[in-house]
Amino acid sequence: MHELSIVQSMIKLVEKHAKDKEVAKIVVKIGKMSGIEPYFLKDSFDFFKENSVCKNAQMEIIEVNIKIKCFECGNESEINGYDFHCPICGSEKTKIISGEEMHIEYIELKE
């Protein structure tokens, strides 16, 4: 479960930017193909936040759907499942352009 090490790194990064101010909320974007399970990430965050500036913070997770670009027709489409053929022209010459990411979108600090 690599979510534990991801949360530890995330809390360190947030502490660096919060500069000892208490954090109210962390918003994280996770792509559906990132390999990260949102439930485990939130569970790990709730466990590790205790002795940090995040101790009272809430985590909001925004799941990012898989989006592909077709090299044949130029179409950009969201896909369901793992069929990477272009839904417009049927080409298999596509590239994933979103859905693999994982990053902190923003943090809210308490005043």
Side-chain angles (χ1 to χ4, degrees):
M1 188 160 67
H2 58 283
E3 286 82 1
L4 296 172
S5 60
I6 291 169
V7 165
Q8 288 174 317
S9 296
M10 188 179 349
I11 289 174
K12 284 181 187 176
L13 183 64
V14 169
E15 285 181 327
K16 178 182 172 185
H17 290 283
K19 298 179 180 162
D20 295 324
K21 292 181 182 171
E22 193 173 345
V23 176
K25 183 179 186 180
I26 299 175
V27 178
V28 180
K29 277 193 170 180
I30 301 175
K32 289 189 176 181
M33 284 191 59
S34 67
I36 298 166
E37 291 293 330
Y39 171 81
F40 292 129
L41 187 75
K42 180 147 181 14
D43 213 35
S44 298
F45 176 74
D46 289 340
F47 179 78
F48 282 110
K49 72 180 185 178
E50 287 309 313
N51 294 312
S52 73
V53 295
C54 300
K55 65 181 173 247
N56 295 314
Q58 297 297 314
M59 176 182 275
E60 179 183 325
I61 296 175
I62 300 169
E63 288 191 65
V64 180
N65 291 327
I66 304 166
K67 191 173 185 179
I68 60 170
K69 179 175 176 103
C70 178
F71 291 113
E72 292 289 326
C73 70
N75 184 60
E76 292 183 4
S77 304
E78 277 191 13
I79 60 169
N80 295 317
Y82 297 98
D83 179 3
F84 298 100
H85 290 86
C86 176
I88 304 301
C89 72
S91 173
E92 60 185 34
K93 295 179 183 177
T94 60
K95 176 183 179 181
I96 298 169
I97 56 174
S98 71
E100 297 178 303
E101 62 270 34
M102 187 279 171
H103 64 268
I104 298 171
E105 185 73 5
Y106 64 90
I107 59 173
E108 287 181 10
L109 302 175
K110 290 187 178 180
E111 299 210 12

